[in-house]
Amino acid sequence: GYVLARAPTEAQLAAPSPAETQAAVARLRVLLVDDERGFVEPLAALLGEFHDVISVSSATAALIVIERDASWDIVLSDLLMKGMTGMELYERLRQQGSPLARRMLFMTGAVYAPEAQAFLRRMPGACLQKPVTVETVLRAITGHLAEVDGGDTVGPETPPRAPADGPARGRG
């Protein structure tokens, strides 16, 4: 299993704290999707200090939660899980026309599968490498939502913008 790294680097010590980084951002609604309880539970607790977090242990459960309530600000999902993967969750949301597809941020321990590598190259979102620090996740959430929303206020009351025309920017 993965352990959340909490020891700060010199760069992290020099950078604004998560509280300072998040001070200008309203509490967001974060749906956390990961099948590793030893990873997801501590991450949910740490992120919960800054945002309203609900965690589920599968992409199938995430779809059920989203079907009941689609007003999430971001979906933070493991890329490779048993059963439905984070990639398949993204594709399902995209096919349904859900604005949450653009609001997905991925995490992974390793990307060896060719289909996962190809997916990350064409994805407009970011993928964080596990283990992650809460500071890294908070900054990634803020950066991803700023990119998706074009710097607008983020929240359930603000509908996401339509996707820009042109090729998706790949990462990873």
Side-chain angles (χ1 to χ4, degrees), residues 12-59:
Q12 289 169 330
L13 290 172
S17 73
E20 293 167 337
T21 302
Q22 295 299 308
V25 178
R27 284 186 75 86
L28 302 174
R29 296 189 71 226
V30 179
L31 179 57
L32 182 56
V33 187
D34 199 306
D35 60 352
E36 294 183 58
R37 288 184 61 162
F39 175 78
V40 76
E41 289 175 0
L43 180 58
L46 291 168
L47 286 177
E49 296 176 24
F50 305 97
H51 299 302
D52 298 326
V53 180
I54 297 291
S55 63
V56 294
S57 61
S58 71

Side-chain angles (χ1 to χ4, degrees), residues 16 22 43 69 112 153 157 168:
Q22 295 299 308
L43 180 58
D69 178 5
Y112 299 113
T153 302
E157 69 284 349

Side-chain angles (χ1 to χ4, degrees), residues 79-80 108-118 120 127 129:
L79 189 66
L80 302 171
T108 190
V111 181
Y112 299 113
E115 63 272 13
Q117 292 174 359
L120 290 176
C127 186
Q129 190 70 34

Side-chain angles (χ1 to χ4, degrees), residues 25-29 71-74 103 145 149 152-160:
V25 178
R27 284 186 75 86
L28 302 174
R29 296 189 71 226
S71 63
W72 299 96
D73 294 301
I74 193 153
R103 292 176 166 270
L145 291 179
D149 294 327
D152 288 349
T153 302
V154 176
E157 69 284 349
T158 306

Side-chain angles (χ1 to χ4, degrees), residues 78-143:
D78 190 13
L79 189 66
L80 302 171
M81 296 177 279
K82 295 178 185 100
M84 183 187 298
T85 66
M87 297 177 290
E88 292 167 322
L89 174 61
Y90 167 82
E91 289 299 336
R92 186 83 61 97
L93 292 173
R94 189 183 61 76
Q95 289 168 0
Q96 293 172 357
S98 172
L100 287 177
R102 292 179 60 238
R103 292 176 166 270
M104 288 190 74
L105 185 59
F106 297 94
M107 305 173 292
T108 190
V111 181
Y112 299 113
E115 63 272 13
Q117 292 174 359
F119 175 81
L120 290 176
R121 280 193 297 273
R122 69 179 175 83
M123 271 304 299
C127 186
L128 304 175
Q129 190 70 34
K130 292 179 183 176
V132 295
T133 64
V134 71
E135 292 84 1
T136 299
V137 175
L138 290 170
R139 286 189 183 101
I141 288 171
T142 301

